[in-house]
Amino acid sequence: MSDSEQSIKVLNELLEKLSIATPENRTEVAVEVASFVNGNIIEHDAPEHFFNGLFKAIKDKKTAANALETICHIASKSDLSPSVEPFIVTAVPAISEQTGSKDKAVQELASKALIALVNAVNPVAVKALLPHLNTALSTTNKWQEKVAVLAAVAELVDAAKEQVALRMPELIPVLSEAMWDTKKEVKNAATATMTKATETVDNKDIDRFIPK
């Protein structure tokens, strides 16, 4: 059995273990999975295979909480593997969607996962990450998701200030639209995020967007 086949075998076993984890042992299993995924897996098809399964689990009501807890641990600022990072970034749409879940536990874990993710990825990945957040913010009808995404954007400003500054032309219109949301929670979060984001650049052209 090749190293890749062995890795896939272990990852399949871990996915199975994750699918039946209970709230009591969820964290323990999530840590075990994260440790293996962020370990020295040389073959690219191993993590790709795993993340395809994990993305399905995020979208499944029965396994969403377990999968999101795992994302929280994989997206560790100190342990996130560079080879895993691209897969984590592509999970953002599925994670964002679950921040609007009717299940409060899933909703909270999804929000936690988004914050962990934006803090863990390399700042250079902002150009791949931010479009996912912008799309989620501008297309969802769920105010909880909007608030969670705005919180993630605010965290991203702190984590990758210079990179976010370069993406301001695409970020400002989305934040500006959210500032006019009918939901007070969204409006307040968008205003706070806009204020923080616009502090990243010194450009008179964006002064009119800054809330007074």
Side-chain angles (χ1 to χ4, degrees):
M1 183 180 290
S2 70
D3 290 343
S4 177
E5 290 172 335
Q6 179 61 31
S7 293
I8 289 175
K9 180 176 182 292
V10 174
L11 287 169
N12 280 337
E13 290 171 354
L14 289 173
L15 273 174
E16 178 63 27
K17 194 173 181 180
L18 190 63
S19 70
I20 58 174
T22 64
E24 289 72 30
N25 74 339
R26 177 187 296 150
T27 300
E28 180 185 342
V29 175
V31 169
E32 182 182 356
V33 174
S35 297
F36 186 81
V37 172
N38 281 328
N40 190 25
I41 303 175
I42 299 173
E43 300 292 341
H44 291 299
D45 53 350
E48 181 176 4
H49 177 85
F50 168 78
F51 278 104
N52 286 338
L54 190 63
F55 294 166
K56 290 178 182 177
I58 291 173
K59 296 176 182 179
D60 189 324
K61 289 181 180 180
K62 296 178 180 178
T63 55
N66 293 348
L68 290 165
E69 179 77 40
T70 302
I71 291 287
C72 290
H73 290 282
I74 293 174
S76 162
K77 196 168 185 178
S78 58
D79 298 327
L80 179 61
S81 168
S83 64
V84 167
E85 190 171 314
F87 298 105
I88 281 287
V89 170
T90 60
V92 169
I95 298 170
S96 297
E97 186 176 346
Q98 288 293 26
T99 62
S101 171
K102 293 179 181 179
D103 185 322
K104 289 293 183 183
V106 169
Q107 189 181 115
E108 290 174 7
L109 280 168
S111 298
K112 181 182 172 184
L114 265 190
I115 296 298
L117 197 154
V118 299
N119 278 301
V121 297
N122 189 306
V124 176
V126 166
K127 63 183 177 182
L129 172 60
L130 192 58
H132 289 308
L133 295 173
N134 286 343
T135 298
L137 183 57
S138 60
T139 58
T140 184
N141 293 319
K142 297 176 180 178
W143 70 267
Q144 297 94 335
E145 183 176 352
K146 291 182 181 181
V147 170
V149 170
L150 286 163
V153 172
E155 285 285 328
L156 192 60
V157 172
D158 287 333
K161 185 168 288 188
E162 292 180 9
Q163 288 75 18
V164 171
L166 294 173
R167 318 308 300 185
M168 289 301 285
E170 64 196 69
L171 180 59
I172 285 180
V174 181
L175 292 179
S176 183
E177 182 180 351
M179 287 171 62
W180 293 97
D181 198 272
T182 55
K183 196 74 176 178
K184 182 178 69 174
E185 290 86 348
V186 175
K187 186 179 293 187
N188 290 344
T191 301
T193 304
M194 174 71 93
T195 302
K196 175 180 272 193
T198 50
E199 286 172 354
T200 67
V201 292
D202 181 20
N203 190 333
K204 293 181 181 179
D205 294 336
I206 64 171
D207 282 350
R208 63 194 178 93
F209 290 107
I210 304 177
K212 305 298 183 183

